[in-house]
Amino acid sequence: MFNLYGIENYSDLLETLQNGAKLCKVMEMRDGTKTLHTVLSADDKYIRWNCYGSSANEATPRGMEFIITRIFKTDLDSIIRAYVWA
C-alpha cells in the first residue's frame, strides 16, 4: 500500500484526520469552477462524513471502520486512494 500519511489501520486514519487532514473530492460547479468538498474530517469527539447524506459518528477506530465499510462501502486502501487529501 502506498500513501503519503503512512496509514496502516483505522486508528492511523482517525489520528491523521484528528491532526487536521481532510479527505475531499473535487467538484465542478455549474459555472465551470472547481472546489474541494470535504467527505471525511474528525476532531476529538466526532468523525464527520458526507456520502449521499451526512452525519457524524463517535471518534473511535471502530467508528471509523463502520464509516469506511458501511457508509462509503469500501476498504481502507481504497478510501485513501479515492479522495484528495487537504
Side-chain angles (χ1 to χ4, degrees):
M1 173 174 67
F2 171 79
N3 64 72
L4 297 174
Y5 289 88
I7 295 168
E8 306 273 333
N9 54 49
Y10 293 105
S11 295
D12 292 343
L13 177 57
L14 178 58
E15 183 179 346
T16 301
L17 294 173
Q18 287 174 325
N19 287 332
K22 295 177 183 176
L23 280 176
C24 304
K25 66 180 174 180
V26 177
M27 295 186 67
E28 188 167 341
M29 308 308 277
R30 290 182 184 181
D31 65 0
T33 60
K34 294 182 179 171
T35 185
L36 283 179
H37 176 72
T38 301
V39 296
L40 259 182
S41 63
D43 59 23
D44 291 337
K45 243 181 157 171
Y46 297 106
I47 305 164
R48 289 171 298 285
W49 56 267
N50 191 329
C51 178
Y52 302 106
S54 61
S55 191
N57 290 64
E58 187 178 357
T60 64
R62 188 171 177 94
M64 181 60 70
E65 181 178 8
F66 174 83
I67 292 167
I68 302 304
T69 59
R70 301 297 177 131
I71 304 298
F72 285 89
K73 297 184 184 338
T74 190
D75 58 33
L76 187 62
D77 291 342
S78 297
I79 196 116
I80 289 168
R81 292 186 176 137
Y83 295 98
V84 176
W85 288 94

